[in-house]
Amino acid sequence: MIRLLNPWWLLALLPVAAVIGIYVWRQLHRRAFAVRFTNVDLLSSLVPKGIGVRRHASATAFLLALVVLAFGLTRPSVDTKEPLERATIMLAIDVSLSMQATDVAPTRIEAAKSAASDFVRQLPASFNVGLVSFAKTASVLVSPTKERSAIMQAIDGLTLQESTATGEAVFTSLDAIRTVPADGAAGPPPARIVLLSDGFRTAGRSLEDASAAASAANVPVSTIAFGTDDGVVRIGNTPQRVPVDRPSLQKVAEVTKGYFYEAASKEELKRVYSDMGSSIGFRTKPREITQWYLGFGFLLALCAGALSLLWGSRLP
């Protein structure tokens, strides 16, 4: 989408419109004069044969050049995405026992591992990426780093434990983000938390407190509700239903200005990660394309001059 950085320069179109109006008026006036002129033989000798509507070609090209150049004065631009400097992504993955449910093939945890690995691979190499796993407590498995191999190994080595401390996952991720070195820059790095969970919080601090802390730190938390409401796991000899807690995860995303997603299969989870990868850790910046308009206007002006010389032996 094209934006105009100085739209008030559109006023330059007013004199161009006036010139167009004068040209049209002159052409209509010329026709009226030709009708009143009774010496048709003399009139046909004055007007070169075979030109016809071509006499308007150079004027049209010249006027179009003026219109394009007037738009060029407005500093037209297009939005482009560029990675944020020092961008940090913390990936927090639920490793509670409910992740062994087979409603997502082959299991929730294996599908999550595969999709998370793909997500990390697609992130720009300049991004810092960290990994937090959480069950009864939350632990930083890999501090924010540009070394992707360490992240991949940690994802592959995820193991399941009891309970679900979703709030602790956010607090622990925030602590990890604070460890990113400043590298001469002022303030904390631009950061995002991507939290994947499949169940209700059963341990640790509340999600409300975690959301407040993330908002205060200006760190959006994007959440993924992973799994289906039909998930069942066997703990001991007792089967237990493990539905997904969508409302809580959605609330976290809303409060922190992140994104909320639902994924009920490995393929859906990969699409979610792909969508996230194109939206987090980037900023939209206008890139001027004034030179395109100047170049096109210059070509139109050249065309006007060439046509005028070709058919009229003079410049417009």
Side-chain angles (χ1 to χ4, degrees):
M1 180 178 178
I2 295 177
R3 291 194 298 155
L4 307 179
L5 298 181
N6 291 336
W8 51 271
W9 271 107
L10 287 174
L11 293 172
L13 290 172
L14 293 178
V16 177
V19 172
I20 293 174
I22 293 171
Y23 178 78
V24 173
W25 181 84
R26 286 294 303 271
Q27 297 306 308
L28 295 175
H29 232 58
R30 178 180 298 178
R31 290 178 183 176
F33 175 75
V35 171
R36 293 197 303 269
F37 198 88
T38 58
N39 193 338
V40 178
D41 293 335
L42 178 59
L43 183 63
S44 62
S45 67
L46 294 175
V47 179
K49 293 182 179 180
I51 294 182
V53 296
R54 287 188 298 173
R55 69 178 182 273
H56 302 299
S58 61
T60 301
F62 177 71
L63 292 172
L64 285 175
L66 291 180
V67 170
V68 172
L69 292 174
F71 272 101
L73 293 173
T74 64
R75 295 176 62 199
S77 66
V78 293
D79 289 338
T80 57
K81 289 198 316 180
E82 62 179 29
L84 291 168
E85 297 177 2
R86 301 169 61 226
T88 299
I89 310 297
M90 288 302 302
L91 189 58
I93 298 179
D94 187 345
V95 293
S96 59
L97 293 179
S98 58
M99 290 290 283
Q100 65 186 325
T102 58
D103 56 331
V104 178
T107 62
R108 292 179 180 179
I109 188 60
E110 291 303 321
K113 287 181 181 180
S114 175
S117 296
D118 289 344
F119 172 66
V120 171
R121 289 189 191 96
Q122 78 178 23
L123 291 174
S126 60
F127 283 14
N128 294 306
V129 184
L131 179 65
V132 168
S133 68
F134 64 97
K136 188 174 183 178
T137 59
S139 302
V140 177
L141 300 184
V142 181
S143 296
T145 179
K146 293 180 174 62
E147 294 295 328
R148 300 295 188 259
S149 58
I151 297 289
M152 298 300 183
Q153 291 176 4
I155 291 174
D156 289 340
L158 291 174
T159 57
L160 302 183
Q161 304 172 36
E162 294 182 355
S163 301
T164 306
T166 318
E168 293 298 329
V170 175
F171 281 109
T172 302
S173 296
L174 291 173
D175 290 340
I177 291 169
R178 296 187 187 98
T179 66
V180 177
D183 291 333
R192 301 288 187 274
I193 297 172
V194 179
L195 186 148
L196 180 148
S197 183
D198 71 338
F200 294 80
R201 182 187 69 87
T202 60
R205 286 170 283 185
S206 70
L207 277 171
E208 290 76 16
D209 290 344
S211 298
S215 295
N218 196 28
V219 177
V221 181
S222 292
T223 58
I224 306 172
F226 185 52
T228 71
D229 291 333
D230 299 325
V232 176
V233 296
R234 184 172 293 276
I235 299 178
N237 293 322
T238 305
Q240 293 188 13
R241 293 184 64 252
V242 283
V244 180
D245 183 13
R246 295 180 185 86
S248 296
L249 295 175
Q250 185 172 11
K251 184 66 174 179
V252 173
E254 290 176 355
V255 171
T256 63
K257 299 181 181 179
Y259 300 94
F260 168 73
Y261 301 89
E262 293 184 61
S265 69
K266 178 179 176 180
E267 290 70 27
E268 287 184 9
L269 183 58
K270 287 188 175 183
R271 283 196 294 270
V272 166
Y273 276 134
S274 179
D275 182 58
M276 281 187 177
S278 65
S279 60
I280 63 176
F282 292 88
R283 64 181 169 189
T284 300
K285 186 177 181 181
R287 179 170 65 88
E288 278 196 53
I289 55 173
T290 304
Q291 67 276 13
W292 296 2
Y293 283 75
L294 296 179
F296 188 46
F298 178 70
L299 290 176
L300 285 172
L302 283 179
C303 182
L307 292 175
S308 185
L309 287 172
L310 179 64
W311 292 327
S313 300
R314 60 187 176 84
L315 289 172

